[in-house]
Amino acid sequence: MSQRVLICGAQLPFEVGGAELLAESLRDELVQRGHEVDLVRLPLAWPTTREGLLQSCLAWRLIDLTAPGGRPVDRVIATKFPSYLVRHPRKVVWLVHQLRQAYDLLGGAHSDYRPERDGEDAAVLAAIREIDRRTLGEARAIYTISANTRDRLRRFNDLPAQVLYPPPKLDAALRAGAHGDTVFTVGRLDALKRFDLLIRAVARTKEPVRCVIGGRGPQRDELAALAAKLGVADRVELPGWLSDERMVELYAGALAVFYAPVDEDYGLVTVEAFRAGRPVVTCADSGGVLEFVRDGENGYVCSPTAIDDLAERLDRLHRDRALAARLGAAGTATVREISWDRVVSALLEEG
C-alpha cells in the first residue's frame, strides 16, 4: 500500500555529501515504488557555536510533521544528527551518523570539544548524549548504514540497532572496464578523509601511478600544494565536482580505488568501487570500509603510517593488471546482496 513519507536530514549549506546523496537515492527508490515522498532538510552550519548547535537541535524538535498542510504523513525516516530529534508517532531512523565530535572523535584532532577545558563543553556534551538517548530511543525502529555505526550507538548510548547497508546512487550505471594507470577516489576534501595519504604514496611509487581525487572541500588547496611540494603535481588531478557520467567513467577505467578515511561510518565509495570491479586500497583504522575490504582478497589494508607499504601495493597493482582484475571481481561478489528492495522493505514495514 502506498505511503506518504518524509525523509529528514540536516545539511551544510552549499555542501552535498554521502548523507545527502543517500537521502535523495532513498526518495527516488520510494517514488519508483509508488510512494509519495519528499525531503525535509534544515541547515546546520558547521563549525558552529555551542549555542548554535543546540538551537539546531531545538529546531528539529519544534517541527510538527504529523500532518503538514492538513494531510497526514504515514512515517518519517530520519537520517543523521540532529534530524532524528523530529517528532512523529511513526518515526523510523536510518542512522548515517551522530555528532561524532561528541563521541568517538572526542579529545582528538578532529573534534572541537574539550570537556576538560571548561564547564560549557562538558554541559553541551552531556546534553547531546541525553538528547540522542531520548530521541533515538523513541523511534519505532533504528537501522544503521553499517555495523560500525551500529556499534558506536550501542557503545555510547546503549541503544540496539539493525544494520541496513545502502546501495550507491550510481548502482545501476556502474560497470567494469579495463584497468588503467589511475587510482581514483572521491569525497569531501577534508582532513578526516585523508586524501593526503594517497598523494604521499603516489610520490613514492616506482611505477608511473597517477591519481584522481574528486570532490570539493576545505582541503583542496592544501592537497594541491602537497602534490606540488612532492613533485607529483603532474600525476595528481583534483577536478572538483564530478558529474554522475564522469564518476562512472573514472570507476570503470581506474586501476584501483583508494578510500581510507578515519573510522568511516560506511563508505559508499567502497561499494561503488566493488560494483565497478575495482580493488579497494584502505587503512587498518578506516572503520566501515573494513566491513567489506579483505587484505589480499579484494583489495589491500595498509597502516596509515606506512606510506611506503601503501606505495608498494599501488605499484603491485600497476605491474599486474590481472591481479587488479581478480581482486576487483572478488569485491563485486562481496557486495552482491546489497539491494534497495531490502532497504525499502525494512524501512516501511515497522508499525
Side-chain angles (χ1 to χ4, degrees):
M1 186 172 71
S2 177
Q3 296 189 33
R4 298 188 75 230
V5 181
L6 292 175
I7 302 169
C8 301
Q11 181 176 3
L12 293 173
F14 307 109
E15 296 287 346
V16 177
E20 289 72 40
L21 296 177
L22 177 63
E24 292 171 5
S25 295
L26 175 59
R27 174 200 59 197
D28 295 345
E29 293 294 329
L30 290 173
V31 168
Q32 287 177 20
R33 289 163 174 79
H35 302 285
E36 186 178 356
V37 189
D38 207 349
L39 299 176
V40 178
R41 288 172 171 164
L42 295 183
L44 177 65
W46 185 263
T48 186
T49 65
R50 277 50 171 166
E51 180 182 6
L53 184 71
L54 294 178
Q55 287 174 345
S56 293
C57 293
L58 181 60
W60 277 105
R61 198 61 173 171
L62 291 175
I63 291 177
D64 183 0
L65 296 181
T66 306
R71 299 181 62 201
V73 169
D74 295 307
R75 76 182 54 226
V76 299
I77 301 172
T79 55
K80 67 177 184 177
F81 174 86
S83 68
Y84 46 73
L85 272 76
V86 69
R87 291 181 293 176
H88 193 278
R90 298 178 71 186
K91 175 171 71 176
V92 173
V93 175
W94 192 20
L95 186 62
V96 175
H97 59 72
Q98 298 165 265
L99 183 67
R100 293 184 58 192
Q101 289 81 0
Y103 291 105
D104 59 299
L105 297 179
L106 183 62
H110 301 290
S111 176
D112 295 327
Y113 292 91
R114 294 291 183 273
E116 73 283 356
R117 185 170 57 200
D118 55 53
E120 182 185 9
D121 269 12
V124 170
L125 291 168
I128 289 170
R129 293 178 180 183
E130 179 61 15
I131 285 169
D132 283 1
R133 186 188 66 80
R134 288 191 181 189
T135 61
L136 286 166
E138 70 192 12
R140 289 289 188 96
I142 305 176
Y143 298 95
T144 62
I145 62 169
S146 68
N148 196 33
T149 303
R150 176 201 63 195
D151 293 346
R152 286 193 207 128
L153 183 64
R154 183 169 52 200
R155 182 165 77 250
F156 291 110
N157 304 100
D158 197 27
L159 289 171
Q162 300 178 56
V163 177
L164 193 59
Y165 289 127
K169 176 187 176 184
L170 300 174
D171 202 26
L174 291 165
R175 55 181 172 79
H179 291 259
D181 64 353
T182 298
V183 178
F184 177 53
T185 190
V186 63
R188 177 172 161 78
L189 306 184
D190 63 30
L192 271 175
K193 300 300 183 181
R194 295 195 299 202
F195 294 127
D196 64 295
L197 296 182
L198 177 57
I199 296 174
R200 296 179 192 280
V202 166
R204 298 191 190 184
T205 56
K206 296 180 174 61
E207 304 294 329
V209 178
R210 307 176 61 84
C211 73
V212 173
I213 304 173
R216 296 180 292 198
Q219 271 209 321
R220 199 274 175 197
D221 291 344
E222 184 177 334
L223 293 172
L226 176 64
K229 177 183 177 182
L230 297 177
V232 289
D234 60 330
R235 291 197 280 147
V236 175
E237 184 180 351
L238 293 158
W241 178 85
L242 298 169
S243 68
D244 289 352
E245 294 77 10
R246 181 63 176 143
M247 289 264 287
V248 169
E249 291 176 2
L250 286 165
Y251 274 121
L255 171 66
V257 169
F258 172 84
Y259 199 63
V262 176
D263 197 23
E264 180 75 341
D265 306 304
Y266 174 43
L268 278 169
V269 172
T270 310
V271 182
E272 289 175 337
F274 283 163
R275 292 285 211 224
R278 306 299 100 173
V280 174
V281 180
T282 187
C283 287
D285 60 351
S286 287
V289 182
L290 302 176
E291 294 172 38
F292 304 102
V293 181
R294 301 287 179 267
D295 187 48
E297 295 180 18
N298 54 22
Y300 292 118
V301 180
C302 305
S303 166
T305 61
I307 303 300
D308 285 336
D309 182 41
L310 176 55
E312 192 280 327
R313 304 300 176 96
L314 299 182
D315 276 336
R316 190 183 306 178
L317 293 170
H318 194 280
R319 287 191 295 265
D320 190 346
R321 306 305 167 89
L323 170 63
R326 288 197 302 273
L327 295 178
T332 299
T334 303
V335 298
R336 185 169 290 136
E337 299 303 316
I338 297 175
S339 74
W340 278 114
D341 285 341
R342 181 172 296 182
V343 168
V344 170
S345 175
L347 292 177
L348 297 188
E349 73 179 3
E350 294 293 335

